[in-house]
């Protein structure tokens, strides 16, 4: 008689000493500092850049959040703290997984990988009290996300604007000005060291979490 197989597990031990089961995540399996560090050490564009350092998902997440805030300001509104927090955390599952899959590869990873990322995203949304996207909100988010991607492709990864449009099929034109430079200074579009990216992400995460908690009272 075949022995019962033990349940599948995919444990990740966090720097905080918490343990995350990637196959069965809960909102209590990581500290904010774990998430910030994971995103700061997870790289976009397969880690390939025209700079000395790769571009972290933490830095990208801050870019998208600031682009959404700027778009709201231009429309005469303000991005609410909880909505800004959702923008900041839109790729949070990648920091828990430690992997940002480049878009052309995703279809080859199959439904099991998609289900894994959906479960991680659900745990993130539950932990931070994030509302689900409405179609209008998600469209605005994707516009900012694609704008960030187009800009990173040109200024970070070294693609030309023509290649971004015709090869990468990103129809949103790249920006010239880096939205993070006005906030943090430094050289436009230069990838930050992981420690700095993690610190800046964590500071913003704590700020927005506090503001969102105050607004909920």
């Amino acid at each position: 008689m075949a022995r019962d197989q033990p349940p599948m597990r995919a444990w990740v031990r966090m720097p905080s000493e918490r343990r995350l089961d990637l196959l069965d995540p809960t909102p209590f399996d990581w500290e904010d500092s774990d998430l910030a560090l994971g995103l700061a050490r997870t790289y976009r564009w397969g880690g390939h850049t025209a700079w000395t350092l790769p571009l972290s998902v933490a830095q990208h997440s801050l870019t998208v959040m600031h682009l959404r805030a700027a778009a709201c300001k231009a429309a005469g509104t303000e991005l609410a703290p909880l909505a800004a927090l959702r923008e900041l955390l839109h790729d949070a599952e990648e920091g828990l997984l430690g992997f940002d899959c480049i878009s052309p590869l995703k279809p080859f990873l199959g439904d099991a990988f998609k289900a894994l990322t959906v479960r991680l995203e659900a745990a993130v949304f539950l932990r931070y009290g994030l509302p689900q996207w409405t179609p209008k909100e998600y469209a605005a988010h994707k516009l900012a996300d694609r704008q960030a991607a187009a800009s990173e492709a040109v200024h970070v990864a070294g693609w030309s604007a023509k290649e971004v449009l015709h090869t990468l099929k990103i129809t949103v034109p790249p920006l010239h000005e880096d939205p993070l430079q006005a906030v943090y200074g430094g050289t436009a579009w230069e990838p930050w060291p992981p420690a700095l990216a993690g610190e800046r992400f964590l500071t913003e995460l704590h700020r927005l979490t506090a503001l969102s908690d105050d607004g909920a009272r």
Side-chain angles (χ1 to χ4, degrees):
M1 180 181 296
R3 295 180 179 179
D4 292 338
Q5 293 296 317
M8 293 181 63
R9 290 287 184 270
W11 292 107
V12 177
R13 187 175 180 85
M14 297 293 175
S16 65
E17 299 187 357
R18 295 202 180 196
R19 292 192 306 169
L20 167 68
D21 181 1
L22 294 173
L23 303 182
D24 187 22
T26 82
F28 312 107
D29 295 341
W30 69 90
E31 298 285 356
D32 291 344
S33 57
D34 297 324
L35 178 59
L37 184 64
L39 287 168
R41 293 178 177 177
T42 302
Y43 301 125
R44 288 177 59 77
W45 303 100
H48 304 293
T49 71
W51 298 82
T52 302
L53 292 172
L55 178 70
S56 70
V57 178
Q59 187 171 346
H60 164 78
S61 300
L62 286 163
T63 297
V64 173
M65 185 200 71
H66 282 288
L67 287 176
R68 279 288 293 120
C72 288
K73 185 176 181 180
T77 61
E78 184 176 347
L79 187 65
L82 191 59
L85 182 61
R86 185 174 55 187
E87 295 292 343
L88 184 69
L89 294 169
H90 77 275
D91 280 335
E93 74 280 358
E94 294 174 359
L96 299 175
L97 186 61
F99 176 50
D100 176 16
C101 181
I102 58 175
S103 296
L105 185 60
K106 287 181 180 179
F108 295 94
L109 297 184
D111 293 338
F113 180 77
K114 175 63 175 177
L116 183 150
T117 59
V118 167
R119 287 194 295 269
L120 286 170
E121 182 182 81
V124 170
F125 270 55
L126 187 59
R127 177 188 174 105
Y128 296 101
L130 303 177
Q132 294 300 315
W133 305 95
T134 66
K136 183 178 180 180
E137 290 168 341
Y138 190 70
H141 157 70
K142 288 307 294 182
L143 177 61
D145 198 25
R146 291 190 183 102
Q147 195 171 40
S151 305
E152 292 165 3
V154 171
H155 300 294
V156 178
W159 295 86
S160 70
K162 185 176 181 180
E163 288 172 325
V164 170
L165 177 60
H166 296 291
T167 303
L168 301 183
K169 308 299 183 183
I170 303 175
T171 58
V172 180
L175 298 168
H176 176 68
E177 294 184 0
D178 180 356
L180 298 184
Q181 189 179 31
V183 181
Y184 299 105
T187 302
W189 303 107
E190 182 176 13
W192 301 334
L196 182 60
E199 176 187 326
R200 287 173 171 173
F201 181 93
L202 185 60
T203 296
E204 196 64 21
L205 176 60
H206 284 166
R207 184 184 75 86
L208 291 173
T209 300
L211 289 173
S212 299
D213 289 344
D214 288 344
R217 294 192 185 105

